[in-house]
Amino acid sequence: MAPDKTLVTINPVTRSNGLLKVEVEVSGGKVTDARCSGIFFRGFELILQGRDPRDAGYYAERICGICSTAHATAAAMALEDAAKIQVSDNAVLLRNLIFGADFLQNHLRHFFFLGLPDYIDTPEIPPFTPHGAQRASLPRAINDRMMEHYRESFRASQMAHEMTVIFGGKAPHVHGIVPGGASVKPTIDRVTRFGAALEEVHRFIVEKYLPDAMTLGEYYPEDFQLGTGYRNLIAFGLFPKPGHPGIWTFPPGIAKDGMLEEVDQKAIQEDIKHSWFREQPKPENPWEGVTVPDLEKEEGYSWVKAPRYRGMALECGPLARLWVRGDYRRGISTLDRVMARAQDAKKISEHMKEWLEMLHPDAPTYTPFEVPKNAEGIGLTGAMRGPLGHWVRIEGGRIAHYQIVTPSAWNFSPRDGRGVRGPVEEALIGTPVADPANPVEVGRVVRSYDACLACGTHVFEPGRGLTAFQIF
Amino acid sequence: MLTRREFIKLCLSATASLTLSQSLAVEIAKAFAGAKKPPVVWLEACTCTGDILSFANTINPDLGKFIFETIDLLYNNTLMKAQGAQAIEVLENALEKRRGEYILVVEGTVPTRDNGRYNIIGERNGHAWTALEATRRLSEGAQAVIAAGTCAAFGGIYAASPNPSDSRPVHKVVKQPVINVPGCPAHPDWLMGTITHLLFYGRPELDAHHRPKLFFGETIHNLCQRRSYFDNSIFAKYPGDGGCMYQIGCKGPVTHADCPKRLWSGEHVNWPVQANTPCIGCSSPEFTDGLGPFFVPLPATPLPRITTTANRVGGAVAVATALAIGGHLAGTVLTGRLGKGAQTDEDIAGVGAGEATGEDASGKESSDSSGQEARTMEEQFTNITSNVKKALKKRSSVLNSAEIESVPQVPKYPGQKRRRPKFIRPRPLHYWPKDDGTPDKERREARQPNGSSEPSDRGDDDGSR
Ligand code: SF4
Ligand code: SF4
């Protein structure tokens, strides 16, 4: 390290889901290098092995409390793919509604709880003390109004969660999304209750959340230059359209070098060069190797693996998804991510109103099916933070292999074998750091990605990568 | 100010209209007006953050009001403004300056492999705090330690076999007594109720698993709105079907919690069985490995005297309840509610005491209890417990094998073969039967060959209302 360089460590990066450590090298007041580390480990895929395939959803949900419905949906889709069944339109709608309500909950909680304290002056009471220098960019009145909205957001996000409960049974970790469909019938009382709550949450989004995000854009224009990163985006399809199998409300796609292209899931690979996992002795046969977490590994610095698309690190999240659909094309930066997320919440709540009207109280919500003895299935869906994939292989009626690639693994991945930085690491380069003792700017860039290391760090088995699924 | 008695009554009387926290809002505000607010440190170890998010669903006071007006939330990874070393400094300060004052809430398991290096919560001055170290050190200085969620209380899902990070529940790594508030996640009322009880009246009364009796005193099965379906053997065939969820794996009979009457979440609107899915027993110490696959029914074994219902057994030993279910089923058959013809009391007593004990779930280990005349309640109880434990153990050992037939075989009731109706068999449903398009009414008749003594209204979806 050159003498004028300082190494700044933020550990933990609070106001993220799960535990995250970020290390940046600061030189001349700017970040010149960065490393993101997921710093806790659970080993979910190993826990899933040998279990009943129908249980996968309820297990996988517990990877992450804030996006549990995403895992429930992907797990259900994977098993349905393996069993070769199609769920009913009513089930599609119900799932979209449960999942959508969780989206609203997530976006509201992200903006107000996780993101906003970086931008406003907060009262001098815990949990806001201690803090670094308060930034007074906002006029007093606006600052106070946002603080007021912060307090109101507790109720709004709780109501969004309550909507998940109406059709999901409980939240977090819903029961209502099951392989084969949804379990709660859309009776009129439930639909009415859901609709009323949706109306209120929608109003909060349109009247408070969205304007607040815009206001930030007004007063922090410098953040449009911050955290631009690779400018390569990936999104999976989100919210299947009822009655149109294979068509999504938010279409999948990859935006790179200004061009849109289709996602080829076979081109997704995972790299473990800098993750705390032992390299495979026989990489050519990933199914046979004995794999172990390896904390002593010299190059290792994270529990997150590095998913790459044809060797490229791609950014994901609401911005990427809206970009692909053409809804948001202002730019790619820290504040753009925040503003796109607000747009996303508005769009999803509008779609939800449509879905609610399409529900049929008497139509079936569940398709009974037999769990296949030997089969393989994939469930790919967009999620709150980007593309989520579940891969399952069933042997003898039990889970023989389970693989989950989460959005946060894309965003917060460490370097890969070729030295390509993860998207967030890249985005941090060039970020100005005014006070190395309190690098707020770094925190803002990282949080704009809606860090969720609970998802990123669940992985256990290196080498048992997606390459093995290329037979599909 | 509420008296403790009133408070407890309030906690127990959870209904949709009168929520625990609603009635407390005023009291809390009064009690802490002008007083120094009690400090709380909320530590996130190996967690999905589900418990803090669940806690955020509390209303009246909502979480905002609670953390701004009632408590000093010194540390919480999700809400605090400070980051990095500054955040860890808060922990060190709490340890030094507010020793003995703060309440420590831990969510998530504590990984212990490699001395806890599988979970770092932060670092300051080059020293990395593992969750293990943080939990241990902070609980030494805490006024009380609360384990929020099943992970923290009992290990839960992250400690499920093969437990890759060697995760342990909080009470296994600290010396201090721990109040367990399980649930995956814990219900906002359970957390709020426990914390408020602690603030106002001290430690709540705990059960054998150190759970507040207020919320975990009864089994789900006892409080369940679909209990009458169970009693009449009207079982759901797949998730989304109406009726009792027992046959598709409901763990309500062995799970202690008040979900059926409290309902989820802050607004009390729904719960898993009302959502037509089985309870998966997420607040049980045995969750998940000890309870087996979620959609496979509990092992059933006949009970010596059918007069012992799940009700009575459930209160004492959780696992024993599973057995009581078998007994209950057998009992239902014997009393003629399911089978043909009425039985006399002598019949029932004779079968119960002499024969039904003989066969346990596996059918092999029958010798240990069949010869004995297990007449007294205690003796019966010992038999029951060991039988069910065997059955559960057998099941969890099957977990890792390729064998799917993990459910113990249907118990035989010697001499009672003739009367055993097919449809109450706790058989392994490793598939959900295809819907053959039979309307509900015909299906109901098909299930009840004699079709006479049954109530006719099945209540399609809203059995729980
Ligand atoms: S108990 Fe459940 S909700 Fe709580 S941390 Fe564990 S998995 Fe998450
Ligand atoms: S649904 Fe579960 S808790 Fe309710 S009666 Fe049936 S077995 Fe008991």
Side-chain angles (χ1 to χ4, degrees):
Chain A
M1 208 190 289
D4 66 324
K5 286 186 181 171
T6 13
L7 191 68
V8 180
T9 308
I10 312 179
N11 184 7
V13 178
T14 48
R15 282 176 284 124
S16 64
N17 284 282
L19 298 162
L20 169 69
K21 162 181 168 181
V22 170
E23 232 172 23
V24 289
E25 220 173 78
V26 182
S27 168
K30 280 198 182 248
V31 174
T32 51
D33 202 1
R35 283 159 161 241
C36 295
S37 314
I39 45 175
F40 74 133
F41 164 81
R42 291 167 300 185
F44 244 90
E45 281 138 339
L46 199 78
I47 291 174
L48 274 168
Q49 262 179 44
R51 296 190 192 264
D52 190 321
R54 292 170 300 175
D55 291 2
Y58 288 176
Y59 274 92
E61 278 178 338
R62 285 159 169 90
I63 289 173
C64 177
I66 199 149
C67 65
S68 57
T69 46
H71 288 285
T73 310
M77 285 164 67
L79 184 51
E80 284 152 10
D81 183 40
K84 309 251 177 312
I85 56 157
Q86 196 96 61
V87 299
S88 66
D89 286 354
N90 236 15
V92 169
L93 288 166
L94 278 169
R95 283 191 195 177
N96 283 357
L97 286 168
I98 300 174
F99 196 6
D102 217 19
F103 257 88
L104 303 185
Q105 177 261 145
N106 175 77
H107 286 5
L108 285 170
R109 285 188 173 149
H110 172 265
F111 181 75
F112 288 101
F113 296 1
L114 311 182
L116 200 58
D118 278 337
Y119 291 96
I120 61 171
D121 290 356
T122 43
E124 297 294 325
I125 47 164
F128 300 128
T129 53
H131 52 71
Q134 302 258 39
R135 307 178 27 133
S137 286
L138 291 174
R140 195 75 250 159
I142 296 185
N143 192 84
D144 289 351
R145 198 181 68 213
M146 288 207 186
M147 198 54 219
E148 199 47 48
H149 295 172
Y150 178 96
R151 308 242 344 215
E152 286 170 29
S153 74
F154 279 95
R155 175 78 177 122
S157 56
Q158 179 260 337
M159 275 174 67
H161 232 175
E162 225 63 59
M163 280 150 65
T164 316
V165 178
I166 295 174
F167 290 129
K170 80 193 238 286
H173 310 325
V174 291
H175 272 229
I177 298 177
V178 283
S183 68
V184 178
K185 296 213 171 65
T187 49
I188 194 70
D189 55 329
R190 291 188 178 119
V191 172
T192 324
R193 185 160 191 170
F194 194 98
L198 178 59
E199 201 49 59
E200 247 179 88
V201 175
H202 177 74
R203 195 168 331 121
F204 185 85
I205 291 170
V206 177
E207 288 173 8
K208 292 173 182 166
Y209 176 17
L210 199 55
D212 281 359
M214 298 294 182
T215 313
L216 289 187
E218 235 170 84
Y219 287 92
Y220 294 91
E222 71 275 15
D223 277 22
F224 286 120
Q225 261 73 55
L226 220 67
T228 46
Y230 285 121
R231 309 178 65 86
N232 291 338
L233 312 169
I234 181 171
F236 282 179
L238 174 66
F239 299 129
K241 279 202 174 150
H244 300 84
I247 311 286
W248 305 84
T249 310
F250 290 90
I254 286 177
K256 72 174 187 4
D257 314 323
M259 302 285 284
L260 277 183
E261 57 176 74
E262 305 235 314
V263 184
D264 172 14
Q265 60 103 357
K266 288 174 199 150
I268 302 170
Q269 313 225 330
E270 284 193 302
D271 190 287
I272 53 157
K273 175 84 172 159
H274 292 280
S275 315
W276 280 308
F277 300 109
R278 196 166 295 164
E279 300 279 356
Q280 285 292 84
K282 281 197 293 175
E284 72 279 1
N285 189 351
W287 295 100
E288 278 178 13
V290 185
T291 52
V292 247
D294 182 5
L295 266 170
E296 309 303 330
K297 187 165 162 182
E298 242 170 72
E299 308 96 343
Y301 65 90
S302 180
W303 285 118
V304 185
K305 294 201 275 184
R308 292 291 183 264
Y309 187 84
R310 298 196 215 289
M312 273 187 312
L314 300 179
E315 171 189 337
C316 57
L319 175 60
R321 189 156 33 77
L322 293 190
W323 193 283
V324 167
R325 198 169 85 155
D327 286 346
Y328 189 97
R329 292 270 170 93
R330 212 217 63 88
I332 299 172
S333 69
T334 298
L335 259 185
D336 282 312
R337 283 181 203 106
V338 174
M339 284 167 59
R341 191 169 287 112
Q343 289 283 0
D344 193 39
K346 176 165 170 275
K347 292 223 174 331
I348 290 176
S349 60
E350 280 159 5
H351 282 300
M352 284 169 72
K353 287 187 193 172
E354 290 165 23
W355 296 327
L356 203 61
E357 280 171 18
M358 288 157 80
L359 277 176
H360 198 298
D362 301 320
T365 62
Y366 182 81
T367 317
F369 67 101
E370 279 184 38
V371 176
K373 278 264 177 256
N374 298 294
E376 286 172 326
I378 312 181
L380 303 178
T381 175
M384 290 72 167
R385 292 162 188 77
L388 170 67
H390 281 216
W391 281 259
V392 62
R393 198 177 74 207
I394 304 166
E395 277 169 19
R398 296 255 155 187
I399 296 173
H401 180 71
Y402 211 94
Q403 180 80 23
I404 303 166
V405 178
T406 61
S408 293
W410 285 95
N411 280 339
F412 289 87
S413 58
R415 285 157 174 71
D416 62 20
R418 298 186 301 128
V420 176
R421 291 190 193 97
V424 177
E425 295 180 335
E426 178 68 23
L428 280 170
I429 308 288
T431 306
V433 176
D435 174 14
N438 183 36
V440 230
E441 300 87 350
V442 173
R444 287 217 305 272
V445 173
V446 170
R447 284 190 197 98
S448 73
Y449 283 88
D450 196 353
C452 178
L453 272 291
C455 279
T457 52
H458 64 281
V459 204
F460 183 78
E461 295 164 285
R464 294 199 166 187
L466 302 179
T467 42
F469 287 95
Q470 293 193 348
I471 39 169
F472 287 122
Chain B
M1 176 80 195
L2 293 172
T3 64
R4 182 165 175 274
R5 227 184 139 75
E6 283 164 339
F7 175 82
I8 287 174
K9 221 169 127 196
L10 196 63
C11 288
L12 292 173
S13 74
T15 60
S17 60
L18 175 84
T19 75
L20 163 63
S21 33
Q22 212 164 19
S23 334
L24 278 177
V26 191
E27 302 299 333
I28 288 172
K30 262 192 262 162
F32 289 100
K36 202 173 165 201
K37 296 190 287 180
V40 172
V41 173
W42 188 299
L43 201 64
E44 293 176 18
C46 212
T47 168
C48 72
T49 62
D51 297 291
I52 182 72
L53 290 169
S54 173
F55 192 47
N57 284 342
T58 175
I59 43 171
N60 288 323
D62 64 23
L63 185 62
K65 216 171 159 63
F66 190 67
I67 61 177
F68 292 135
E69 287 164 22
T70 309
I71 58 166
D72 269 345
L73 186 63
L74 298 182
Y75 184 95
N76 173 264
N77 193 51
T78 304
L79 293 169
M80 71 193 301
K81 187 160 185 175
Q83 61 182 14
Q86 201 175 35
I88 298 300
E89 200 183 341
V90 174
L91 289 183
E92 289 172 1
N93 279 343
L95 260 178
E96 260 172 45
K97 300 192 188 124
R98 312 200 70 167
R99 223 185 162 77
E101 269 180 64
Y102 62 87
I103 294 174
L104 175 69
V105 183
V106 186
E107 78 169 271
T109 50
V110 186
T112 60
R113 179 158 295 160
D114 281 352
N115 213 5
R117 281 171 67 209
Y118 284 70
N119 184 350
I120 310 281
I121 63 149
E123 65 187 71
R124 181 162 185 250
N125 299 336
H127 173 71
W129 285 56
T130 62
L132 182 65
E133 182 189 348
T135 315
R136 279 198 179 137
R137 282 183 58 188
L138 285 164
S139 53
E140 274 166 25
Q143 179 217 107
V145 186
I146 297 178
T150 302
C151 287
F154 305 125
I157 214 143
Y158 306 147
S161 116
N163 197 350
S165 51
D166 202 357
S167 284
R168 308 262 170 92
V170 175
H171 70 89
K172 285 266 163 66
V173 299
V174 305
K175 292 193 201 77
Q176 287 68 22
V178 177
I179 302 174
N180 287 333
V181 186
C184 189
H187 192 289
D189 284 3
W190 301 341
L191 285 167
M192 185 61 101
T194 309
I195 295 176
T196 5
H197 194 289
L198 207 54
L199 293 178
F200 288 145
Y201 318 103
R203 228 157 242 282
E205 204 184 335
L206 306 178
D207 69 3
H209 294 292
H210 299 267
R211 301 175 288 201
K213 278 191 183 163
L214 278 174
F215 306 111
F216 301 95
E218 282 271 23
T219 61
I220 300 266
H221 189 60
N222 278 352
L223 301 172
C224 184
Q225 299 93 332
R226 303 215 176 162
R227 180 61 182 269
S228 62
Y229 291 108
F230 177 88
D231 291 343
N232 291 303
S233 284
I234 300 174
F235 295 119
K237 278 184 168 176
Y238 47 78
D241 204 3
C244 164
M245 298 289 141
Y246 182 72
Q247 289 282 49
I248 54 167
C250 187
K251 308 293 183 287
V254 292
T255 304
H256 287 74
D258 62 3
C259 301
K261 71 170 186 188
R262 187 167 303 279
L263 304 180
W264 287 73
S265 183
E267 284 176 26
H268 310 107
V269 287
N270 208 343
W271 73 288
V273 167
Q274 192 169 319
N276 302 320
T277 54
C279 160
I280 60 173
C282 76
S283 63
S284 292
E286 296 88 7
F287 185 71
T288 62
D289 286 350
L291 292 176
F294 298 143
F295 294 101
V296 172
L298 285 164
T301 321
L303 190 74
R305 278 189 69 88
I306 51 93
T307 42
T308 304
T309 63
N311 207 340
R312 282 196 227 154
V313 184
V317 187
V319 275
T321 323
L323 196 83
I325 295 305
H328 189 86
L329 283 175
T332 325
V333 179
L334 295 169
T335 45
R337 287 162 96 176
L338 303 174
K340 298 176 203 151
Q343 308 294 312
T344 62
D345 277 351
E346 287 83 342
D347 276 346
I348 299 165
V351 172
E355 296 157 348
T357 345
E359 304 264 339
D360 79 356
S362 67
K364 278 181 278 174
E365 298 134 330
S366 56
S367 55
D368 53 6
S369 49
S370 62
Q372 296 162 18
E373 290 279 297
R375 294 278 175 194
T376 68
M377 204 48 211
E378 285 79 62
E379 281 173 44
Q380 287 175 12
F381 225 78
T382 327
N383 288 344
I384 295 162
T385 318
S386 69
N387 284 354
V388 172
K389 274 193 175 150
K390 263 182 230 156
L392 281 173
K393 206 166 147 206
K394 186 175 170 229
R395 176 186 290 177
S396 38
S397 72
V398 182
L399 244 180
N400 292 320
S401 77
E403 177 67 64
I404 193 162
E405 302 286 339
S406 59
V407 180
Q409 289 309 297
V410 178
K412 290 201 190 83
Y413 314 114
Q416 293 291 316
K417 268 188 192 137
R418 192 172 42 83
R419 299 198 199 102
R420 195 178 75 227
K422 274 201 182 93
F423 54 86
I424 62 147
R425 282 189 181 190
R427 67 211 141 109
L429 281 179
H430 38 76
Y431 63 91
W432 292 319
K434 279 228 181 343
D435 205 342
D436 48 6
T438 331
D440 260 6
K441 186 155 169 287
E442 286 171 38
R443 229 169 50 202
R444 203 157 57 225
E445 277 160 11
R447 270 186 216 177
Q448 298 151 14
N450 52 343
S452 57
S453 60
E454 296 309 321
S456 57
D457 191 8
R458 171 136 185 239
D460 184 29
D461 170 34
D462 283 355
S464 48
R465 281 142 187 267

